[in-house]
């Protein structure tokens, strides 16, 4: 399931994050790649254990917690601390699948990567190329969203970042371990939640149809959730 979520960050928030990132040191992006991915990865990253990465990561986590769309789509149990990367002209990330398990730096824990997320920090007209290209059940999809918008997709997907041919593409990326491991089940719950929210905009909350759908939603979540 590929879902684009608009306006996770407001333009003023994107500008402030960009200002802080511009003043920060960048390192070779291979530092967070697995053995196979490192052979395909050509980008830069903010060191994940740096103060600025933690500060900005916490800001993004708060924005995610306030996003009903993210919570509905990802059903997050744990979210990996957000990382930050940039692709300058000539940089790319060839076809790869994200590591299934990631240890959290500085914490005695690991997460299973069920849902991958990219939060764009550059507007599309500031760079050429740099599309996030995802192979999913609906075929190949190229994603290039406005700054502050985010895309979610299954971590099992083969994906790549096309070579940047002009400008620089900046983003935050991270993974979620979902309460609902199966992507098909997550899709059904998300579509049901979207329908419930639409009905609530048209009918009173105590309408029998809404009560019935909400009950079914929670009973399915109770059946499928892993805590």
């Amino acid at each position: 399931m590929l879902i684009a979520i608009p306006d996770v960050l407001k333009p003023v928030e994107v500008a402030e994050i960009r200002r802080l990132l511009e003043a920060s040191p960048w390192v070779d992006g291979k530092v967070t790649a697995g053995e196979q991915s490192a052979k395909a990865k050509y980008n830069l990253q903010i060191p994940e254990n740096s103060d600025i990465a933690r500060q900005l990561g916490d800001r993004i986590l708060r924005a995610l917690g306030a996003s009903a769309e993210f919570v509905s789509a990802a059903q997050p149990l744990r979210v990996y601390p957000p990382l930050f990367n940039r692709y300058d002209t000539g940089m790319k990330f060839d076809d790869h699948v994200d590591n299934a398990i990631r240890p959290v730096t500085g914490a005695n824990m690991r997460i299973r990567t069920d849902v991958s997320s990219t939060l764009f920090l550059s507007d599309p007209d500031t760079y050429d190329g740099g599309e996030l290209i995802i192979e999913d059940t609906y075929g190949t999809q190229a994603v290039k969203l406005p700054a502050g918008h985010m895309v979610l997709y299954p971590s099992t997907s083969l994906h790549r970042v096309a070579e940047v041919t002009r400008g620089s593409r900046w983003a935050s990326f991270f993974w979620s371990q979902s309460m609902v491991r199966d992507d098909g089940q997550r899709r059904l719950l998300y579509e049901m939640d979207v329908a419930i929210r639409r009905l609530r905009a048209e009918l009173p909350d105590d309408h029998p149809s809404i009560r019935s759908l909400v009950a079914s939603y929670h009973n399915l979540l109770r059946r499928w959730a892993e805590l």
Side-chain angles (χ1 to χ4, degrees), residues 105-118:
T105 301
N108 186 26
M109 66 175 296
R110 298 180 295 171
I111 76 163
R112 185 185 66 237
T113 58
D114 297 319
V115 181
S116 297
S117 301
T118 296

Side-chain angles (χ1 to χ4, degrees), residues 20-97:
L20 293 170
L21 291 176
E22 286 167 0
S24 302
W26 295 80
V27 298
D28 192 319
K30 296 182 189 297
V31 296
T32 58
E35 180 179 355
Q36 189 64 36
S37 293
K39 301 173 184 177
K41 189 176 188 180
Y42 306 93
N43 67 3
L44 299 172
Q45 287 182 203
I46 295 292
E48 62 180 307
N49 59 351
S50 67
D51 289 341
I52 193 64
R54 287 193 290 267
Q55 174 189 338
L56 297 182
D58 287 345
R59 185 178 299 186
I60 289 173
L61 289 174
R62 288 194 295 272
L64 295 176
S67 171
E69 198 75 6
F70 171 76
V71 173
S72 176
Q75 295 288 347
L77 177 63
R78 300 182 182 93
V79 179
Y80 194 91
L83 304 175
F84 300 86
N85 63 15
R86 60 186 282 186
Y87 292 80
D88 294 336
T89 301
M91 294 183 178
K92 61 178 181 175
F93 198 163
D94 291 330
D95 285 335
H96 65 286
V97 172

Side-chain angles (χ1 to χ4, degrees), residues 6 9 13 18-19 23 26 39 56 63 81 86 90 95 97 102 110 115 127 178 192 202 216 219-220 223 226:
L9 296 176
E13 294 174 309
R18 285 290 302 253
R19 184 185 68 80
W26 295 80
K39 301 173 184 177
L56 297 182
R86 60 186 282 186
D95 285 335
V97 172
R102 296 197 68 96
R110 298 180 295 171
V115 181
Y127 64 98
S178 179
M192 185 178 290
E202 301 171 0
S216 295
N219 286 332
L220 287 172
R223 178 183 291 265
E226 303 173 11

Side-chain angles (χ1 to χ4, degrees), residues 95-145:
D95 285 335
H96 65 286
V97 172
D98 292 334
N99 290 352
I101 305 294
R102 296 197 68 96
V104 178
T105 301
N108 186 26
M109 66 175 296
R110 298 180 295 171
I111 76 163
R112 185 185 66 237
T113 58
D114 297 319
V115 181
S116 297
S117 301
T118 296
L119 174 59
F120 290 82
L121 299 174
S122 299
D123 279 318
D125 60 358
T126 64
Y127 64 98
D128 293 332
E131 295 86 359
L132 175 61
I133 300 173
I134 303 166
E135 307 278 352
D136 74 357
T137 54
Y138 294 96
T140 302
Q141 302 194 55
V143 182
K144 189 173 183 178
L145 300 178

